[in-house]
Amino acid sequence: MDSRRIEGLWDCGYCDQKGILARYDRCRTCGSARSAQTIFYLPKDIEKAVLSDEERAKTSNAPDWLCDYCGSLNSADSMACSGCGSARERATKDYATLHSGTEINAPRG
Ligand SMILES: [Zn+2]
Ligand SMILES: [Zn+2]
């Protein structure tokens, strides 16, 4: 099974910083934390975005997760929501990592 890991990017909603790596949960320019509304997207150059084994070792395999009940963004380590205490199994959204199975409609070249 292909388990390539592609690192998503996000844009800061406070300053103009774009393309912040998913591994950072704060803007590298102004320090603002990303929120539950933050939208992740794939980089233009997918091949370069695929993490090497070395890089993968540095990033968490388990992504951050979003609570379905209260919308709190929780760290990958916690098994229950820090906001409302809901068990993690209820969370279905993967906000930190985009996998290679994701459909990509970007034109080539
Ligand atoms: Zn910023
Ligand atoms: Zn919650």
Side-chain angles (χ1 to χ4, degrees), residues 3-73:
S3 62
R4 281 196 314 176
R5 184 173 290 271
I6 296 171
E7 187 162 23
L9 302 174
W10 57 282
D11 296 341
C12 178
Y14 295 92
C15 70
D16 233 9
Q17 185 65 42
K18 304 244 192 297
I20 303 162
L21 292 172
R23 76 185 70 172
Y24 302 118
D25 58 6
R26 287 182 180 276
C27 172
R28 307 306 288 166
T29 303
C30 72
S32 299
R34 70 183 186 218
S35 69
Q37 282 79 43
T38 300
I39 295 166
F40 289 91
Y41 56 91
L42 290 171
K44 285 203 184 82
D45 193 338
I46 297 296
E47 287 307 316
K48 276 198 188 130
V50 176
L51 299 184
S52 67
D53 287 346
E54 197 181 320
E55 284 173 323
R56 280 176 60 171
K58 280 189 234 161
T59 59
S60 170
N61 274 334
D64 293 348
W65 55 282
L66 188 74
C67 177
D68 275 349
Y69 287 112
C70 71
S72 292
L73 199 58

Side-chain angles (χ1 to χ4, degrees), residues 74-104:
N74 295 283
S75 78
D77 305 338
S78 52
M79 294 309 292
C81 174
S82 60
C84 71
S86 297
R88 180 175 178 167
E89 294 92 82
R90 304 290 306 180
T92 53
K93 298 181 183 69
D94 179 339
Y95 263 69
T97 310
L98 294 162
H99 297 278
S100 57
T102 306
E103 259 185 65
I104 300 154

